[in-house]
Amino acid sequence: MALRVPVNLRKNLSVVLYAFQGLSILAVIVGLASLFLLPLDEYSRRTYISENALLPGQVHAYFGGSEQNIVRAFRREVDLLGNSTSDVVAERMAEIFRSAGLKVGKQRYSYKAAGGEYTGENVYAVLHAPRGDATEAIVLCAPWRNIDHLLNEGGVALTLALSRYFKRWSLWSKDIIFLISSDARAGPQAWVDAYHDLHGENIQSLSVKSGAIQGVVVVDYPGAYHRFESLHILYDGINGQLPNLDLINTAVQISRDQMGLRTDLQEMWNHDDGYRHRLKTMLRGMVNQALGHSTGPHSSFIPYHIDAITLATHGDGGWHDEGSLGRTVESVFRSLNNLLEHFHQSFFFYLLMAPKRFVSIGTYLPAAMLLAVGLTLTAIRLWVDPRSRSGEAGVKVEEKEEKKGEKGEKGEKVKEGEVIAVNGGPKRELFLPMSIVIGVHFCGVIPFAVFNSVDYKSMSSVFYIFIAASVILPTLISILITLTASPHRLLPAFHLSRCFSLLFLGMFLSTLATLNFSLSFLIGLFSLPLMFARTTPDSVPLALVNSVLLQLTSPFAALFVVAGYWGLGVEDILKEASFGWWVWGMWTPIVVWCVWWPAWVVGRISVDSSIVMAVTGKRG
Amino acid sequence: MDRKCLLAIGAGALIRLVLFTAFPSLPTILAQRVEISTPVTSYKRLQEGIYLYTHGVSPYDGGVFHQAPLLLSLFSILPPSTIVTNLLYILADIFSAISLIRIASSGVPTVTPHHVSPRKANSWPPWAIAAAFLFNPFTIATCIARPTIVFTNTIILHSIAAAVNGRRGPAFVSMAMASYLSLYPALLLPPLLFLTYDSLKTTSKPSIQAFSAITTIMLSIVLMIYFKLSHMITGSWEFVASTYGVHLLLPDLTPNVGLWWYFFIEMFDSFRAFFLCLFQLHLLIYVPPVCLRLRKQPLFALITLIGISSIFKSYPAIGDTGLYLSLLMLYNHTFSLMRYTFFLAAAILYATFLGPAFYYLWVYAGSGNANFFYAITLVWSISNALIVADAIYAALRDEHETERPELIGKDVVQI
């Protein structure tokens, strides 16, 4: 019985087609709408500490009093070294660490990306745990210059002071590594790569090592001001991976409830915990995740399955000083020290919308998946559509059958005048559309390789040349195909190439959604016009509208949007992407050039072909 | 073989050569993928075995190496250079392609003594079938990763090529070799028997009983020779337990694309023996019905059994699926009768992409777990099983329409 339904639907294809169209539009609408529901109280949850061993804020933090004078002394020291070269800095820092009785290591590194060279020297010290066996370690890191290239005076001074202070405690069960990286972007990456022996040839190996790193806290406290207003917690990792939510919760709970420090996320300084602010925090988090870049030194650790956060101070009018920051770090370290095993209890996939509010993967994943499902359903509809078959469009394959008889009688009915030959009517020509789609996808390697190898200086001119090329390329391809292929094959070919391209895009986005939800969602959002941009040889205005719409949602447009969002030039974004690829192993450029751009080109080909077909008069 | 066949083979060899030389780290990366290398085929384990063997230690000591002794002697004769090994694997794929061309040009996929397909004219030319094999991403990935399944596949194809030309000796000697190397090709012996019998070119055919009796005796002698040779090479019968024992008893639970590993990880030990028997019998149980029902098209029965064992055997890999899909291309003329081609192709593609992603989440990112990967292997197996079922439907429909031409184009309703 169950098989009767599809059999009947086979005869009423238009029902199926409309159903698929409706379903795909519905999927997209529901997907988009569900994202905007997430900040509501009904869909998001309050954060909670999942790992009982952490016991955040349960201990008294003693950092303060005379320790504060030591921090100020180190601050002076750092200030004096402010403009020195990195080897002088490293030597002086090593001296200070040694005088505190720690094992010290130094590491030079050099990266080349986008025609620039990024060199520096990291210095670090290992405090061996009095009660540990050197199988586990936690890292306290302070970049010499933070991500905005400001001298991280407070952060480095605090790290130096804490290294002396921690040395006096006998309760550590994990080794503590104090790392002063030479910058915030390349330095930590060089260090963590070398720590796991996965470094390139221009990066020195580490002379001293400890056990598996369980957690990383980065202190970012730039400037000469001693006072700050609030603590900004940064948590986005490379490629949109995130640290375990427990680590963030611990930091938030300690700074808020124990120290009375306000915490901020995603540069939302005046969060009122209302719908708008939650949504904005979430969207900012999604943009950072989608770009997959480093937002601080912690980002480089996360791909190694090391949970890491940056604590950055914000504002200079508040009443908190080194003392509160030091106590916060101390308390976080006491919690990390309690860990019995690697962070695993809480969530790895989440979207934070306020310091104490989040949604987990089960709630938000459907949004991105539904976009991908929308694309896949469209692909299936295009395949089922009789227009995908060459030959006469929509040929009625069979005569209408009489009313069904009794069971078993069906086989006996003999019909006269069967139209179809044994080979089953018009077939789909797969070769041309397949080669269009595969060929264009291979072409995606070209921009990827070019943008990762050109100099920063020529970046913008290359980019504009490439924009021009990709505006012309689809038109050229569609002219070429229109002129060479036989007319009755044209429409099905463009139809099927759209089908394959959407199928591939939908498949890729649903895969990507499990790895980097935000990137998948944003690309899915920008690709929505591809669902509707079709070949319309009968209506040139519609084709023009489609073409403009596609142009507005191209990867280039997205690049301009991103550049505008950060207030940078396009060449800076491309430089960042190239740097990200060579230093961090960031995938975003691959996804954009080898998945999204080809899908967009195929969409443009089918839209442009309608104009070409109208002009040449080959309408299929 | 015409110019197009040579072109396809040349291009297929070239693409492999380019992948081997342009990306020297690719073979190692792919060889570590659990989807491609299994404990019983892995190249890394083979090297371990060769190392032990050439240093005078029994290769089966240590429980890492589970492959047949004759492979050891083959690789220890070869000069220990990567280029030679790579060329050997490329050569194996070329031989496979040649065998496919021979099978396709014999016409057996469309015309057997009992059945002539009405869609004969729609079948693909031999070069296209060779190209479908040589450019299948699964086959290419398998060749680059160098698991020993490549040789098994080549030998199976060679055996089929001999069988469709009615050459009993080579067909059975090769199939015995394939069974000797990976055990499960033994399931293909009954359909191979029918196939060879149908394709015999002699004027006076012996009766099928006599034919199968003689063949069975011949087969046993050949197998005994292989075993004796293996015994001479390794000096003990230890290899039997370490190779066939591993196929049958599943001591190594490394994840793969199959259905066994997760099942047997989860299982309580007291049920293990029972379910091992059940899983192995499950494979065996397909052989008689498939052979009987598809008696008119023994080649298709053989291909179907390859497909079934590529899903349900103990250590399957994408190389097995690659072989099945390449062989299925011989029945391209019946594809218009298949009902779910697009959906199944999409499902296979989805599983191909999601599998590595979920494996990454489980093993590297630590944010997923084993269920993620197992879910995808389920999707993979289900879509493969549906392909097998749909292909059987198409082949039977094709047969049915030969008998009842008046039903061509009618819908079938399951009641």
Side-chain angles (χ1 to χ4, degrees):
Chain A
M1 281 305 286
L3 278 178
R4 274 175 197 275
V5 180
V7 167
N8 291 338
L9 283 179
R10 228 162 260 240
K11 285 171 195 149
N12 297 310
L13 258 184
S14 57
V15 177
V16 182
L17 294 182
Y18 279 120
F20 268 105
Q21 192 153 28
L23 274 179
S24 53
I25 294 172
L26 189 75
V28 168
I29 292 171
V30 172
L32 282 178
S34 68
L35 192 78
F36 288 93
L37 292 178
L38 293 178
L40 295 174
D41 279 344
E42 287 78 10
Y43 296 93
S44 57
R45 284 197 269 168
R46 277 186 67 81
T47 56
Y48 56 94
I49 302 286
S50 197
E51 170 69 85
N52 292 321
L54 278 169
L55 300 172
Q58 305 275 317
V59 290
H60 189 80
Y62 297 95
F63 190 81
S66 61
E67 300 295 334
Q68 216 147 337
N69 296 325
I70 297 174
V71 178
R72 289 189 183 147
F74 281 134
R75 206 182 244 284
R76 175 89 185 118
E77 194 83 36
V78 173
D79 193 32
L80 285 175
L81 286 169
N83 293 317
S84 312
T85 52
S86 61
D87 46 334
V88 176
V89 171
E91 191 43 51
R92 181 69 192 125
M93 294 295 119
E95 221 171 278
I96 294 173
F97 279 133
R98 258 183 229 118
S99 68
L102 303 170
K103 271 192 203 165
V104 179
K106 288 194 282 184
Q107 181 206 22
R108 274 177 213 282
Y109 64 86
S110 155
Y111 285 107
K112 283 196 183 74
E117 199 171 355
Y118 302 84
T119 54
E121 189 163 4
N122 296 325
V123 56
Y124 65 100
V126 180
L127 164 60
H128 279 300
R131 292 168 176 231
D133 51 1
T135 53
E136 290 178 329
I138 36 186
V139 176
L140 177 60
C141 168
W144 186 255
R145 289 190 180 276
N146 76 358
I147 196 127
D148 302 320
H149 303 290
L150 297 172
L151 185 63
N152 185 13
E153 281 181 40
V156 174
L158 190 66
T159 306
L160 294 173
L162 280 171
S163 70
R164 286 166 59 98
Y165 174 75
F166 283 169
K167 177 87 169 106
R168 297 210 295 270
W169 288 95
S170 62
L171 48 79
W172 302 115
S173 65
K174 295 176 174 51
D175 288 1
I176 300 177
I177 302 175
F178 303 94
L179 167 66
I180 304 217
S181 64
S182 159
D183 69 356
R185 288 149 50 90
Q189 185 70 44
W191 189 81
V192 73
D193 283 347
Y195 196 88
H196 297 94
D197 287 326
L198 290 168
H199 49 294
E201 51 193 53
N202 289 324
I203 295 154
Q204 277 187 336
S205 304
L206 300 185
S207 51
V208 185
K209 278 193 201 174
S210 174
I213 302 175
Q214 303 292 309
V216 178
V217 176
V218 181
V219 188
D220 181 3
Y221 186 13
Y225 300 103
H226 294 195
R227 308 261 168 206
F228 63 91
E229 265 175 56
S230 66
L231 209 52
H232 184 208
I233 297 181
L234 294 130
Y235 56 90
D236 312 273
I238 304 291
N239 290 325
Q241 276 174 278
L242 300 172
N244 194 286
L245 191 54
D246 263 343
L247 181 60
I248 298 170
N249 290 343
T250 308
V252 169
Q253 184 156 344
I254 287 170
S255 45
R256 279 194 153 192
D257 304 344
Q258 194 183 11
M259 305 296 160
L261 257 166
R262 203 182 78 221
T263 46
D264 298 312
L265 299 175
Q266 305 292 351
E267 300 178 14
M268 295 288 295
W269 309 122
N270 297 303
H271 205 294
D272 62 2
D273 208 18
Y275 175 83
R276 280 192 45 157
H277 280 176
R278 282 185 187 174
L279 183 68
K280 216 170 159 191
T281 314
M282 186 182 82
L283 292 179
R284 276 164 173 272
M286 282 177 61
V287 169
N288 271 329
Q289 200 185 11
L291 295 177
H293 63 158
S294 159
T295 54
H298 66 281
S299 300
S300 304
F301 290 92
I302 295 176
Y304 284 93
H305 195 17
I306 298 168
D307 302 289
I309 49 170
T310 294
L311 303 175
T313 57
H314 168 71
D316 40 47
W319 49 274
H320 295 287
D321 61 0
E322 307 95 339
S324 5
L325 187 59
R327 276 195 296 280
T328 310
V329 174
E330 183 193 351
S331 194
V332 172
F333 267 68
R334 291 288 296 277
S335 283
L336 289 175
N337 188 45
N338 285 342
L339 273 182
L340 298 175
E341 46 187 323
H342 207 97
F343 277 111
H344 66 281
Q345 282 272 0
S346 195
F347 298 92
F348 282 100
F349 299 103
Y350 51 84
L351 294 174
L352 278 168
M353 39 196 53
K356 292 206 159 190
R357 197 104 211 154
F358 80 109
V359 281
S360 72
I361 185 164
T363 322
Y364 71 71
L365 191 66
M369 280 296 183
L370 281 172
L371 288 192
V373 164
L375 294 173
T376 310
L377 283 179
T378 311
I380 295 175
R381 175 174 66 86
L382 292 175
W383 175 264
V384 177
D385 196 321
R387 274 176 291 185
S388 64
R389 294 167 190 270
S390 315
E392 287 194 25
V395 150
K396 272 277 168 218
V397 192
E398 284 163 276
E399 289 177 20
K400 227 178 170 188
E401 215 181 323
E402 287 164 34
K403 295 227 165 183
K404 276 197 196 72
E406 291 290 285
K407 283 184 186 175
E409 249 188 316
K410 201 168 171 354
E412 272 102 86
K413 278 188 199 151
V414 181
K415 279 262 165 178
E416 299 283 297
E418 284 297 344
V419 202
I420 8 156
V422 200
N423 48 23
K427 285 181 98 176
R428 298 180 181 92
E429 294 282 346
L430 301 182
F431 185 71
L432 182 60
M434 282 262 205
S435 30
I436 295 177
V437 173
I438 294 173
V440 172
H441 274 275
F442 270 109
C443 286
V445 179
I446 297 170
F448 173 68
V450 167
F451 287 122
N452 278 334
S453 52
V454 293
D455 258 27
Y456 176 61
K457 287 179 219 111
S458 43
M459 197 74 97
S460 62
S461 45
V462 171
F463 179 66
Y464 288 112
I465 293 170
F466 182 68
I467 290 192
S470 17
V471 169
I472 299 168
L473 179 77
T475 322
L476 279 183
I477 295 178
S478 53
I479 291 175
L480 194 72
I481 294 169
T482 316
L483 293 184
T484 49
S486 61
H488 71 281
R489 282 185 180 175
L490 274 180
L491 267 179
F494 291 125
H495 194 88
L496 278 178
S497 59
R498 267 185 73 211
C499 165
F500 294 143
S501 154
L502 286 177
L503 180 76
F504 187 75
L505 187 64
M507 181 171 63
F508 191 82
L509 289 184
S510 48
T511 306
L512 188 62
T514 63
L515 301 169
N516 186 346
F517 163 80
S518 307
L519 184 57
S520 163
F521 185 84
L522 290 183
I523 291 184
L525 200 61
F526 271 97
S527 313
L528 285 184
L530 293 178
M531 277 172 62
F532 308 104
R534 55 201 169 83
T535 315
T536 48
D538 304 323
S539 159
V540 176
L542 184 61
L544 284 173
V545 170
N546 276 336
S547 186
V548 171
L549 194 66
L550 278 187
Q551 210 59 56
L552 287 179
T553 53
S554 63
F556 316 108
L559 212 59
F560 281 115
V561 170
V562 170
Y565 178 80
W566 296 113
L568 297 169
V570 188
E571 65 278 4
D572 294 311
I573 300 292
L574 287 168
K575 181 186 153 204
E576 176 88 357
S578 172
F579 180 83
W581 170 252
W582 290 113
V583 179
W584 301 323
M586 188 170 86
W587 302 332
T588 322
I590 300 190
V591 177
V592 169
W593 298 125
C594 301
V595 177
W596 183 14
W597 181 77
W600 177 81
V601 170
V602 174
R604 272 281 315 276
I605 289 176
S606 33
V607 169
D608 285 3
S609 63
S610 35
I611 302 169
V612 178
M613 282 155 88
V615 170
T616 53
K618 276 176 108 174
R619 297 203 177 179
Chain B
M1 281 210 285
D2 54 355
R3 212 164 48 86
K4 277 180 172 169
C5 289
L6 290 175
L7 202 66
I9 291 173
L14 192 69
I15 196 171
R16 283 161 173 75
L17 209 58
V18 167
L19 286 173
F20 270 129
T21 46
F23 307 98
S25 58
L26 192 65
T28 329
I29 295 171
L30 286 180
Q32 285 165 355
R33 300 299 318 176
V34 290
E35 298 91 341
I36 303 174
S37 298
T38 62
V40 292
T41 60
S42 154
Y43 182 66
K44 215 173 153 189
R45 286 169 189 258
L46 177 69
Q47 281 175 314
E48 170 81 12
I50 294 166
Y51 182 85
L52 291 176
Y53 178 63
T54 47
H55 284 75
V57 184
S58 161
Y60 299 102
D61 276 356
V64 172
F65 180 64
H66 305 302
Q67 298 168 39
L70 286 182
L71 276 175
L72 274 184
S73 53
L74 169 69
F75 276 89
S76 51
I77 292 167
L78 283 180
S81 112
T82 343
I83 300 168
V84 176
T85 321
N86 295 349
L87 286 177
L88 183 72
Y89 277 86
I90 295 176
L91 212 62
D93 266 12
I94 293 176
F95 271 125
S96 305
I98 292 172
S99 303
L100 273 170
I101 291 171
R102 280 167 59 204
I103 301 168
S105 20
S106 74
V108 173
T110 48
V111 184
T112 69
H114 309 285
H115 169 69
V116 177
S117 169
R119 293 175 177 74
K120 212 166 82 172
N122 289 354
S123 64
W124 274 9
W127 69 269
I129 288 164
F133 170 78
L134 288 167
F135 296 104
N136 183 337
F138 296 143
T139 328
I140 295 178
T142 305
C143 178
I144 303 297
R146 300 177 292 180
T148 48
I149 184 90
V150 173
F151 301 119
T152 313
N153 288 352
T154 306
I155 293 167
I156 292 177
L157 285 172
H158 179 256
S159 158
I160 300 173
V164 293
N165 290 316
R167 291 162 58 217
R168 173 167 63 171
F172 280 88
V173 169
S174 324
M175 199 50 98
M177 185 49 137
S179 318
Y180 163 80
L181 287 179
S182 348
L183 185 67
Y184 286 105
L187 297 174
L188 310 177
L189 291 170
L192 191 73
L193 195 79
F194 288 130
L195 182 62
T196 322
Y197 183 75
D198 282 358
S199 315
L200 282 183
K201 295 216 166 65
T202 46
T203 39
S204 57
K205 269 192 187 183
S207 75
I208 184 112
Q209 287 86 355
F211 183 79
S212 46
I214 295 167
T215 313
T216 316
I217 294 165
M218 190 188 88
L219 195 71
S220 332
I221 294 169
V222 171
L223 273 175
M224 270 193 294
I225 294 171
Y226 289 153
F227 280 116
K228 190 60 207 161
L229 275 177
S230 309
H231 178 68
M232 278 157 62
I233 288 166
T234 56
S236 76
W237 289 107
E238 204 182 355
F239 74 92
V240 177
S242 293
T243 52
Y244 310 113
V246 170
H247 278 113
L248 291 172
L249 302 175
L250 204 83
D252 192 322
L253 292 172
T254 313
N256 56 44
V257 292
L259 302 164
W260 291 52
W261 62 276
Y262 190 86
F263 213 84
F264 284 91
I265 284 174
E266 297 288 315
M267 191 176 296
F268 291 119
D269 270 352
S270 47
F271 300 111
R272 201 182 150 90
F274 171 70
F275 277 102
L276 273 176
C277 295
L278 198 72
F279 271 51
Q280 301 286 6
L281 275 179
H282 170 241
L283 262 171
L284 210 57
I285 214 164
Y286 288 102
V287 179
V290 167
C291 288
L292 292 176
R293 185 62 188 85
L294 293 166
R295 176 65 189 89
K296 289 183 183 170
Q297 303 182 66
L299 178 59
F300 191 76
L302 200 148
I303 293 173
T304 303
L305 284 176
I306 288 178
I308 288 171
S309 70
S310 79
I311 303 165
F312 296 116
K313 72 185 202 176
S314 46
Y315 293 105
I318 61 168
D320 297 294
T321 313
L323 175 70
Y324 173 64
L325 293 178
S326 314
L327 279 170
L328 199 59
M329 287 299 151
L330 293 168
Y331 283 83
N332 190 282
H333 53 283
T334 63
F335 282 5
S336 56
L337 291 169
M338 283 172 73
R339 295 162 297 181
Y340 315 114
T341 33
F342 184 72
F343 301 94
L344 292 175
I348 289 276
L349 278 177
Y350 258 87
T352 314
F353 274 73
L354 280 170
F358 280 2
Y359 190 77
Y360 169 83
L361 285 182
W362 170 28
V363 173
Y364 298 103
S367 35
N369 56 34
N371 298 329
F372 282 49
F373 185 64
Y374 183 62
I376 285 306
T377 60
L378 276 182
V379 174
W380 168 263
S381 302
I382 291 171
S383 24
N384 274 322
L386 285 175
I387 289 179
V388 172
D390 211 14
I392 294 179
Y393 168 82
L396 289 179
R397 185 75 204 255
D398 193 49
E399 259 181 35
H400 186 65
E401 284 175 3
T402 326
E403 294 157 13
R404 305 278 301 270
E406 71 277 8
L407 290 177
I408 287 175
K410 289 280 190 302
D411 287 329
V412 178
V413 176
Q414 190 182 6
I415 300 167

